[in-house]
Amino acid sequence: METISENACFGGVQGVYSHRSDSCDCDMTFGLFLPEEAQHGPVPVLWFLSGLTCTHENAMVKAAAQGWAAEQGIALIFPDTSPRGEGVADDEAFDLGQGAGFYVNATQKPWAPHFQMYDYITKDLTDLVFEKFPLDASRQAITGHSMGGHGALTIAMREAGRFASVSAFSPICNPTGSDWGRKQFEAYLGSDKAKWVGHDASLLMADRGFDGPILIDTGTKDQFIDLLKPETLAQAAAAKRQQIIFRMQPGYDHSYFFVSTFMEDHISFHAEALYA
C-alpha cells in the first residue's frame, strides 16, 4: 500500500492510498477518514460508495461527511467506482466502463479481466483496510449515492450480517427495469437475466430484505428519477414489511448539494445502529 496524501481534518486524518487489487488486477485508489478516536483504538466504519463518473475523490471532497463522522467517532471509506489504468477496458459512454463499475463481478469480455468490483469492495479492500488501519470489523455500515446507492443496498442485502445499517442517496433501485442497469448488466453479466437478479435492490428486497434499519433519500426534482425508480423499492419494502425510512425530499435534485444537505441525517442514523 502506498500513501498518496494525509491531511489533518476535523481532529482526525483524511488519507488517500493506493494498492494492488488481486480481484481487479490493477492498482486501485481509495480515501479513508480516521477520526481522532482512532488514535486510541479501533473505530466503527461507514463505507460510502460513489456514483457514475466519480472517483474516490468526489464524495471525499463534496459530501461534507468528515465533520459529522468526527462528531460520532466514525471512520469513512471512499472506494473508487471502477478499475482504471493502462490495459483496462473502457467505453466512450459515461455509464459503461471506467467510472461505471456498477459494483458487480463482470463475466463478459472485455470487462471480466478487471471489472470485479463486488469482490473488490467486499474482499480486497475490506481485507486491506482492516489489516492496515484501526477499524472495528464488528461495527460496519454502508451508504452510497446513485450507482453507489445501488451498490450499498445490494451489497448490504447480499452480505447478510455484515452491516448494522444501510442508507442511500438517490439510489438506482431497479436496474433490471431501467436503462441504468439493463445496458450495463448485459455488457458485464451477459444476456441471461437470471444473473442480473442478485444485483437489483428492489428484487433483493422482495426476496431477502435486510436485517436492520434502512434510510433512503431521493429528491423530488431529481433529473434522473425515471431511471432511479424509487417507487419499486418502496413497494418491495412495504410488501416485505421491512424496517425502512423512505423520504422524497421536496425540490432536491441529484447533485452533491442534495447529498451534503442530508449527510448529517445519514451519519446520525448509522451512528445509532453502530453504537447500539
Side-chain angles (χ1 to χ4, degrees), residues 44 65 75 114 130 171 204:
H114 298 288
F130 287 109
L204 283 170

Side-chain angles (χ1 to χ4, degrees), residues 7-41:
N7 298 94
C9 182
F10 291 99
V13 177
Q14 175 62 64
V16 177
Y17 309 93
S18 68
H19 70 110
R20 184 73 180 178
S21 165
D22 290 336
S23 295
C24 294
D25 193 24
C26 65
D27 290 339
M28 298 289 287
T29 302
F30 67 96
L32 172 67
F33 170 73
L34 288 174
E36 184 177 7
E37 288 83 351
Q39 298 175 23
H40 309 292

Side-chain angles (χ1 to χ4, degrees), residues 7 13 122 135 179:
N7 298 94
V13 177
T122 61
L135 305 174
D179 289 342

